[in-house]
Amino acid sequence: MSSKKSGVILGYIAMAVTNISSFFLTPLMLTVFGTSEFGVYKLVLTFTSYFALADLGLSNAIVRYVSEYRANNDKVSEGKFVGLVTLIDLLMGGLLFIAGLFFYYYIPQIFHSSFSQKEIMLLKNLFFLVVISGILTLFVNLAGGILKSYERFSVLKTMNIAKTLVRVGLITVLLLLDFKPFEIVLVDTVLMILVFAYSWYYCAKELNVKPVFRNLDLEYSKKILSYSLIVFVDAIAFHFFWAADTFIIGIYISSAAIAIYSIGTLLSSLFFAFSIVISDVLMPDIVKQVALGTDDSELTAHMIKIGRIKFIVLALPTLGFIFLGKQFINLWVGEDFAEAYLVAILILVPQMIAALADVGLYVMWAKSKHKVKSFVSLGICIINIFLTIVLVQKYGIIGAAISTCLAYVAGYLIFNSIYFHKVLNLDMIRFVKQTFHKMWFGFSLAIIGGFLISFYTATNWFFLGIQSVGITVIYVFSLWFFGFNLYEKQLIIVPLKKVLSPFKK
């Protein structure tokens, strides 16, 4: 089996493990912590995304440049590059620690009007563990980028699966023993240390990738940093785009509102993971294609092929959640979290549509044509923050979701499409036509079937499961006969024959 296929399969296994663990642990945490403590816990986790910005966009540059050096068998440049990134991560880790001290001091002043004294103390106790995890994440991302560049997707995904399984086991025991958020975050920190140690051991021992700190060329460093800093601007926009909502809700409403909003965003992020699994294995290949001079028409064809596969994968859970999501949330975490359904829908739908064309992002980075896009993303992020502040005060957490939806459509859907078409010469009109060719009819039949099935409101998991199976069966048959092309059918038929062949003997 190819590394890409095994990477996708293991990626979906990892995603399934993560989704199941979130499904299992979230209501248990709510029961043990209570809504307010759970809200504080989720707020602390959002800080991790802020800390991730400290890598200055180097996570992307690692895959971009190590893939190129590997293609050219240039171990010298590879070692210097890894050495440069390691030095930058050490510097940013130190700055992150200092910034953490500063923010820790001002936590009471920031949240005094919306958090109780007990909640503020809990936030302070959790904060420094998250800072340590954030610093370690810089180096884990560096090692992960190297593994992706060498297409060791199976190693990366297996490590993530093992980490998740151990985490679920430990946290379940701690929750059943009535431990609180501090111990949960401590477990995550220890596991991050173990992942850091193993991933670097593998890179050095198995891939012979080691940082070189001697004779670092200034011009070379400027080239790497100029690429990375533009990606960093895009990373700032992306992280603040998603993390600012929680922070603003914490300031203007309450920790309980954070808990409800976080359930909605958690569900949308779990669905989005379906897309990331496919995208995760693409960038090294895209870099190679661009480096070898693949023309724009072929890149568009590649984008269409991946876009159709992504639609097939993403449309099913999206459709199922639209029709059954209310019942799912009610059974999962209770009626008090009903607003999380609308939050998830407002965020999930534009996310799903935009994800179909994200091959264009990898082409953009491979061609180093990401400067304008990054600054536009930053502008969209700033608009989203100001719009969220206004709408949260009028409409609560739904206002935050509306702001995110509008900004996402403008920045990550409409602008990206225009940019890909005009700047990257990817034919987006052809992309839309061929991605949805025939697919729309089968999908329309699936919508009708899902609508009819959703008329019955499930009051327990058994009937909700039957409804889910019903929608899945209708979806698969509708797209098989009225949507799939020959290539897409072969993606299912070939592995299915391999699985069934032992039973035919």
Side-chain angles (χ1 to χ4, degrees):
M1 186 183 295
S2 72
S3 61
K4 291 185 182 64
K5 287 183 179 179
S6 63
V8 170
I9 292 170
L10 285 171
Y12 277 118
I13 293 173
M15 184 200 65
V17 171
T18 300
N19 287 4
I20 292 169
S21 66
S22 296
F23 173 78
F24 173 70
L25 290 177
T26 298
L28 188 56
M29 285 181 179
L30 277 166
T31 301
V32 176
F33 297 166
T35 303
S36 63
E37 276 195 9
F38 181 77
V40 175
Y41 169 73
K42 296 301 288 187
L43 175 62
V44 165
L45 294 187
T46 65
F47 288 124
T48 305
S49 65
Y50 290 112
F51 297 150
L53 296 173
D55 82 344
L56 301 177
L58 290 168
S59 298
N60 179 287
I62 293 160
V63 183
R64 161 72 173 80
Y65 284 99
V66 173
S67 295
E68 185 178 306
Y69 298 141
R70 182 185 172 222
N72 297 324
N73 197 28
D74 187 353
K75 296 295 288 185
V76 174
S77 295
E78 178 188 83
K80 288 184 178 181
F81 171 78
V82 174
L84 175 63
V85 176
T86 302
L87 289 174
I88 294 171
D89 281 348
L90 286 170
L91 173 62
M92 295 310 299
L95 293 175
L96 186 60
F97 184 78
I98 294 170
L101 285 173
F102 181 80
F103 184 81
Y104 179 86
Y105 179 79
Y106 282 100
I107 284 176
Q109 287 91 324
I110 295 172
F111 296 99
H112 71 279
S113 62
S114 54
F115 280 27
S116 68
Q117 194 61 38
K118 181 181 176 183
E119 290 167 347
I120 289 173
M121 287 305 300
L122 175 60
L123 180 56
K124 292 179 72 174
N125 289 338
L126 297 177
F127 184 72
F128 261 110
L129 285 176
V130 176
V131 171
I132 294 170
S133 292
I135 294 171
L136 288 170
T137 299
L138 299 177
F139 299 96
V140 170
N141 287 345
L142 172 51
I146 294 169
L147 290 172
K148 289 179 186 177
S149 302
Y150 274 77
E151 300 186 14
R152 299 299 174 94
F153 303 114
S154 58
V155 175
L156 189 60
K157 302 300 183 184
T158 302
M159 186 167 57
N160 290 336
I161 293 169
K163 176 192 170 186
T164 303
L165 289 174
V166 172
R167 179 180 185 269
V168 171
L170 290 174
I171 290 177
T172 301
V173 171
L174 291 175
L175 289 173
L176 292 175
L177 295 174
D178 206 31
F179 280 88
K180 295 299 182 180
F182 180 82
E183 289 77 16
I184 307 305
V185 177
L186 181 61
V187 166
D188 286 333
T189 305
V190 172
L191 288 175
M192 183 63 75
I193 293 171
L194 294 175
V195 169
F196 161 77
Y198 178 77
S199 58
W200 272 99
Y201 169 80
Y202 188 92
C203 288
K205 189 75 173 177
E206 300 296 329
L207 304 180
N208 194 31
V209 176
K210 299 173 184 177
V212 175
F213 302 107
R214 300 184 306 274
N215 302 319
L216 294 179
D217 183 76
L218 183 60
E219 288 302 316
Y220 171 77
S221 301
K222 286 180 179 179
K223 174 189 172 184
I224 300 299
L225 286 173
S226 64
Y227 174 91
S228 299
L229 288 174
I230 298 301
V231 176
F232 172 59
V233 171
D234 199 48
I236 287 177
F238 184 82
H239 283 290
F240 274 86
F241 187 94
W242 291 111
D245 286 3
T246 303
F247 196 76
I248 293 167
I249 290 168
I251 293 174
Y252 285 100
I253 310 179
S254 66
S255 60
I258 292 175
I260 297 171
Y261 191 79
S262 68
I263 292 296
T265 55
L266 171 64
L267 290 168
S268 66
S269 66
L270 292 179
F271 284 121
F272 192 59
F274 281 89
S275 172
I276 296 299
V277 169
I278 299 173
S279 301
D280 230 14
V281 302
L282 292 178
M283 189 169 178
D285 187 49
I286 295 295
V287 171
K288 290 177 184 176
Q289 287 190 41
V290 173
L292 293 171
T294 302
D295 65 47
D296 296 325
S297 179
E298 286 186 54
L299 290 174
T300 301
H302 188 67
M303 188 176 179
I304 292 166
K305 182 170 71 173
I306 299 300
R308 286 180 61 87
I309 293 171
K310 280 197 164 193
F311 180 82
I312 292 166
V313 172
L314 296 176
L316 174 57
T318 302
L319 189 68
F321 186 77
I322 288 172
F323 288 120
L324 305 178
K326 284 183 180 179
Q327 299 96 298
F328 172 80
I329 290 174
N330 185 38
L331 291 171
W332 183 38
V333 289
E335 294 180 357
D336 292 342
F337 291 81
E339 280 185 302
Y341 169 76
L342 189 53
V343 170
I345 293 294
L346 285 167
I347 296 173
L348 171 63
V349 173
Q351 247 189 338
M352 189 274 281
I353 297 170
L356 304 182
D358 64 5
V359 169
L361 295 174
Y362 299 111
V363 174
M364 176 187 71
W365 289 322
K367 290 185 174 183
S368 296
K369 290 186 176 181
H370 51 292
K371 186 174 182 179
V372 174
K373 162 68 174 59
S374 295
F375 284 103
V376 170
S377 296
L378 183 60
I380 294 293
C381 167
I382 293 170
I383 292 171
N384 179 44
I385 290 173
F386 281 108
L387 190 59
T388 299
I389 291 171
V390 173
L391 294 182
V392 157
Q393 295 180 74
K394 287 188 175 183
Y395 305 109
I397 63 173
I398 301 302
I402 291 171
S403 173
T404 299
C405 177
L406 293 175
Y408 199 91
V409 169
Y412 293 97
L413 188 55
I414 296 174
F415 177 81
N416 275 8
S417 298
I418 296 172
Y419 192 81
F420 294 163
H421 191 81
K422 296 290 186 181
V423 178
L424 302 182
N425 297 317
L426 297 172
D427 191 342
M428 295 305 292
I429 297 173
R430 175 187 164 200
F431 171 78
V432 172
K433 286 181 178 178
Q434 294 188 16
T435 297
F436 297 104
H437 177 64
K438 291 177 60 178
M439 201 80 77
W440 65 270
F441 184 69
F443 188 63
S444 297
L445 293 177
I447 291 174
I448 295 170
F451 179 73
L452 294 174
I453 287 175
S454 68
F455 269 119
Y456 174 80
T457 301
T459 56
N460 57 57
W461 287 111
F462 177 74
F463 285 110
L464 185 63
I466 290 176
Q467 286 180 302
S468 300
V469 171
I471 289 177
T472 301
V473 170
I474 292 171
Y475 178 87
V476 171
F477 275 92
S478 297
L479 263 70
W480 182 270
F481 290 108
F482 301 104
F484 287 9
N485 59 33
L486 182 61
Y487 170 76
E488 290 150 3
K489 288 182 178 180
Q490 288 299 312
L491 287 177
I492 298 174
I493 291 172
V494 172
L496 193 61
K497 283 183 177 178
K498 290 181 180 179
V499 171
L500 296 178
S501 60
F503 300 99
K504 294 180 180 180
K505 295 178 181 179

